[in-house]
Amino acid sequence: MRKKIVAGNWKMNNTLDEGLKLASEVVNMVKDERQGDVIVVLGTPFIHLASVSKLIGDTKDVHVSSQDCSEHESGAYTGEVSVSMIKSTGTRYVILGHSERREYHEETSVQLAAKLDRVLSTGLTPIFCCGEPLEVREAGTQDSYVCSQLTESLFHLTKEQMSKVVIAYEPIWAIGTGKTATSEQAQEMHKAIRKHLAIKFGDAIAEDTSILYGGSCKPSNAGELFSQPDIDGGLIGGASLVARDFMGIINAY
Ligand code: PGA
């Protein structure tokens, strides 16, 4: 069964105190108000992971995610954070391949494939991001662009490994711009992603993979996006920084 997931991506926002305040507001709202069976994830900066995990405790209502990880296991990689370090904080998810990391840190598909292997071997759940820039959308070649991203980073996985991966489709032109993809554009791409996964991993795995939409998702448009048959939730940037807005998206199902 495909899981419904709403994951916040705080990016580089919030001091530790601010992050703990936001996390506790979300945890309380989820406890009191959540209507459906949506899995809620908070993607915090590395330095917040341990404290937010502790705050959440064993409630299992909300999970924590990092926004990246190192492709190396351990050693002389100054400034890097390994998956076993991430896991040791109680974190369960790792966002990988966000377009901001691909663009500003020149992350390649090969590097992302290595990061995926690390995350999966540690038993954490990767949220693998893909998505096209505006010029690709304007040229109408978005399907092949996104499918290539998937082929290059995911197609070396076994079926068993792939069954643990969550995908987030985030058109770059919609991230932080207020310009959301229409629900038809998003549905079309999610369907294309699922079809592409089926070629390599078979229909059952493709059907069971959760594919989230990201890019200017907010309470006012989440309901329509989430009502599409191939959209299984969202990866939320700006709106995840305000507990009430994030809760509005969680309850948009
Ligand atoms: P946004 O960001 O919701 O602020 O557009 C989404 C993301 O980058 O994950």
Side-chain angles (χ1 to χ4, degrees), residues 162-174:
M162 186 59 216
S163 69
K164 308 277 189 331
V165 177
V166 173
I167 289 178
Y169 166 61
E170 300 201 301
I172 298 171
W173 45 273

Side-chain angles (χ1 to χ4, degrees), residues 122-184:
T122 317
L124 300 180
T125 302
I127 301 176
F128 179 80
C129 302
C130 55
E132 80 286 356
L134 184 60
E135 60 273 19
V136 169
R137 171 64 62 169
E138 284 174 347
T141 51
Q142 64 272 9
D143 286 14
S144 62
Y145 184 94
V146 169
C147 289
S148 298
Q149 288 181 319
L150 302 177
T151 304
E152 289 165 13
S153 296
L154 299 178
F155 274 27
H156 67 290
L157 300 177
T158 64
K159 283 188 182 186
E160 163 71 17
Q161 286 174 315
M162 186 59 216
S163 69
K164 308 277 189 331
V165 177
V166 173
I167 289 178
Y169 166 61
E170 300 201 301
I172 298 171
W173 45 273
I175 295 177
T177 58
K179 194 170 178 248
T180 321
T182 63
S183 50
E184 292 78 24

